[in-house]
Amino acid sequence: MTDTTDRPAAEPEMGASRRILILISAMLSVALYFSSILVASTVLPQMQGSFSATPDEVSWTMTFNILATAIAMPMTGWLTARFGRSTVMIWSTGIFTVSTALCGFATSLEEMILWRIAQGAAGAPCVPLAQTILLDTFPPRQHRMVLGVYGMGVVLGPIIGPTIGGYLAEILNWRWAFFLLIPVGVAATLGLSATLPADRGRGPVYLSWIGFILLSVALGGLQLALSRGQRLDWLESMEIRVTLFISVVAFYLFLAHSLTSRRPFLDLRLLLDRNYSLGLALIAIFGMLNFVPMVLLPPLMRIYMGYPDVLVGQVVGARGIGGLLGFFAVIFLSRLDPRVSVGAGFVLQFIAGLWLMRIDLNVTPFELAMNGITQGLSAGIIVVALSLVTFANIPRERMPEATAMFHLLRNIGASLFISICVAEVVRSTGTNYAVLSELISPYNRTLALPWAAGPFDMSSPSSLARLSGEISRQAAMIAHLNAFGLFTAAAAASFPLALLLRNARKPAG
């Protein structure tokens, strides 16, 4: 991994107006990245219908986007050293904008997945570079104010994006939810091009391509197996067996290379630090919890509860409101031991999971929005506090590698857990439908009671069709509750790990 600590200093002659434009442009770039995730989740049901895809297939547009971000983000240091920070930031934002436009023009599921992968890979450097650029652009005395404004702007994007995107999807179609982001991307790209000081990379620099390729193959193979396993009957399929074999071999070779190479792609010796290794486990769990509801809830609301797209967008956007509240909560919680904040954040996720396990098809949009606010609040608290604890004992010169692995584990946890939960929904829906439909029989004496059958009459084909549709709805609801149970179990698993963290203000003993 490349060290990027020798960052160029800000130009001394840079005026206040130029600094403000850099702040606005960087804020737009990162807000664009986070908004795209929520906007895509808002229109998942419409995309599923447009591409005639199954629920697990349309979820690939989320999982492979997150996985591409995970794989590409550790390359940020190498790209910056090779081409320069400003060049990487401008090109990443520009390519991300073009990929977003191509997502809107996609005519097939395969094409959409391809452009979502490009979107994730292009957007990966934007998040770590934006903050670094701002810290170098403004003097130290203004850092707190600048990061506050920057954080506020980034949080507002995920509120506004899904809300407007859902409205456009309702009155036009899902493509306009992506087209909505294009002007923001163009403005960010032009603003960065016009204001960022020119810099150059150091020329050819070392990157462990062997480690990068092995890790990419291992993660890509595992993700593909989890995404297609339910449809292909898991290990009964030769494709799944071969894919898993390749993934396991690639991961073994990656570990061997990382432990024996002088300059590995990721230095695993960092795991010897207790807080850092625990922090990686916790950020992986956080990734699992942070994205799964955004994939599961929109199709449930749109297909089985009958919510219009505009309402789905508002519910998804409520997570951004929670993130905004979390931004303010962190200001007050910063005086406490970060371990307390980490624990409190995961407790909120656990509460949100229990809450979701109790909903039914009659749940109100307000209740789902409040649940989303709870999730967003917990996310805003966890990320800041967990970052403080995780990197407390990491030397400055090792920070590029350490942060790369941190973000890598967060995105891997998200993409893999999404696939697991979606597979459970598909499996459980079919099983529940079979079990429930067995009870619909003329020989079931309970159905002979006047109030038992309700509005359904089994004497006509049309009534039987309506009854079959209702059974499908109930089977899907039970399947989603099972997935929310996995969500809650993952949140509960974080508690013992959080208790093992050491105080960030004290050196490791």
Side-chain angles (χ1 to χ4, degrees):
M1 197 69 190
T2 306
D3 182 13
T4 58
T5 54
D6 53 340
R7 299 174 298 196
E11 293 180 346
E13 69 277 6
M14 187 181 296
S17 59
R18 186 176 178 183
R19 288 193 175 99
I20 292 174
L21 289 175
I22 291 176
L23 171 61
I24 295 173
S25 301
M27 189 170 62
L28 288 177
S29 177
V30 179
L32 174 71
Y33 171 78
F34 287 113
S35 295
S36 70
I37 298 174
L38 294 183
V39 164
S41 70
T42 301
V43 297
L44 276 178
Q46 272 205 26
M47 286 196 292
Q48 180 180 341
S50 178
F51 297 135
S52 300
T54 59
D56 54 329
E57 288 173 342
V58 77
S59 71
W60 299 352
T61 60
M62 293 290 291
T63 56
F64 281 97
N65 173 270
I66 297 170
L67 183 63
T69 303
I71 294 174
M73 191 168 286
M75 292 188 66
T76 301
W78 177 81
L79 289 170
T80 302
R82 178 67 178 83
F83 301 104
R85 234 182 15 205
S86 298
T87 302
V88 173
M89 186 69 184
I90 293 167
W91 277 91
S92 294
T93 306
I95 296 174
F96 186 92
T97 303
V98 173
S99 301
T100 301
L102 293 172
C103 286
F105 287 113
T107 57
S108 67
L109 180 63
E110 294 78 10
E111 193 177 339
M112 171 60 78
I113 293 172
L114 174 63
W115 298 129
R116 287 285 288 166
I117 291 174
Q119 218 184 21
C126 294
V127 178
L129 282 183
Q131 187 167 325
T132 303
I133 288 172
L134 291 178
L135 291 177
D136 284 346
T137 300
F138 288 85
R141 67 179 184 277
Q142 297 179 343
H143 282 179
R144 184 180 295 273
M145 179 271 295
V146 168
L147 292 180
V149 174
Y150 166 77
M152 183 77 70
V154 169
V155 168
L156 287 176
I159 300 175
I160 300 172
T163 304
I164 300 178
Y167 177 75
L168 291 176
E170 179 71 22
I171 63 174
L172 297 169
N173 58 51
W174 62 266
R175 301 180 186 277
W176 285 91
F178 288 99
F179 295 155
L180 163 72
L181 302 176
I182 296 176
V184 181
V186 171
T189 304
L190 294 178
L192 292 170
S193 301
T195 58
L196 282 182
D199 63 343
R200 294 183 179 180
R202 300 198 301 264
V205 290
Y206 177 80
L207 174 70
S208 177
W209 287 102
I210 295 176
F212 171 71
I213 293 172
L214 288 174
L215 181 61
S216 301
V217 172
L219 296 179
L222 180 59
Q223 181 67 65
L224 187 63
L226 290 174
S227 298
R228 292 176 56 80
Q230 181 62 34
R231 290 290 167 184
L232 299 178
D233 201 16
W234 298 107
L235 294 180
E236 296 298 321
S237 166
M238 177 60 71
E239 176 187 329
I240 298 299
R241 292 200 297 269
V242 171
T243 302
L244 285 176
F245 176 77
I246 293 174
S247 177
V248 170
V249 171
F251 187 67
Y252 171 78
L253 294 175
F254 169 76
L255 288 178
H257 174 76
S258 299
L259 294 172
T260 58
S261 174
R262 288 186 176 181
R263 292 193 290 178
F265 180 64
L266 294 173
D267 190 352
L268 300 183
R269 287 171 294 187
L270 290 168
L271 297 177
L272 296 175
D273 180 85
R274 174 175 169 175
N275 268 21
Y276 182 69
S277 57
L278 288 172
L280 292 184
L282 287 170
I283 198 63
I285 295 175
F286 169 76
M288 294 161 59
L289 302 176
N290 193 41
F291 289 97
V292 162
M294 289 188 282
V295 176
L296 296 183
L297 283 175
L300 179 66
M301 290 186 288
R302 183 69 181 88
I303 298 173
Y304 300 106
M305 296 179 181
Y307 289 2
D309 291 301
V310 62
L311 199 53
V312 173
Q314 292 171 356
V315 171
V316 172
R319 289 180 61 91
I321 298 175
L324 183 62
L325 295 176
F327 173 80
F328 289 111
V330 166
I331 298 175
F332 297 101
L333 292 174
S334 61
R335 302 175 182 176
L336 302 176
D337 186 334
R339 294 175 299 179
V340 176
S341 300
V342 171
F346 279 111
V347 166
L348 286 175
Q349 289 280 21
F350 181 72
I351 293 173
L354 291 176
W355 191 347
L356 287 174
M357 290 177 64
R358 297 175 60 86
I359 67 172
D360 56 30
L361 292 171
N362 298 314
V363 65
T364 63
F366 176 77
E367 185 174 351
L368 290 177
M370 292 302 297
N371 186 274
I373 290 174
T374 303
Q375 294 177 41
L377 173 63
S378 67
I381 294 172
I382 290 172
V383 170
V384 176
L386 189 57
S387 298
L388 291 174
V389 175
T390 302
F391 302 114
N393 305 312
I394 301 297
R396 179 177 174 82
E397 64 273 11
R398 308 299 300 278
M399 286 298 288
E401 289 174 290
T403 54
M405 206 181 303
F406 185 78
H407 292 295
L408 177 71
L409 264 294
R410 181 184 65 183
N411 288 286
I412 290 174
S415 61
L416 297 183
F417 197 60
I418 287 173
S419 295
I420 292 171
C421 289
V422 171
E424 170 59 22
V425 168
V426 173
R427 183 203 66 80
S428 190
T429 298
T431 302
N432 293 328
Y433 183 88
V435 172
L436 292 174
S437 60
E438 289 177 355
L439 303 175
I440 308 302
S441 167
Y443 303 102
N444 187 343
R445 295 182 178 180
T446 303
L447 295 179
L449 298 173
W451 58 84
F456 301 105
D457 180 9
M458 291 185 291
S459 62
S460 66
S462 59
S463 182
L464 285 174
R466 292 196 303 272
L467 180 59
S468 176
E470 182 59 29
I471 294 174
S472 296
R473 292 176 70 237
Q474 298 297 334
M477 185 70 250
I478 297 172
H480 282 79
L481 293 179
N482 292 341
F484 295 144
L486 294 177
F487 174 98
T488 307
S494 65
F495 299 153
L497 295 177
L499 293 175
L500 294 175
L501 291 168
R502 286 194 176 103
N503 194 330
R505 295 171 182 170
K506 299 178 180 179

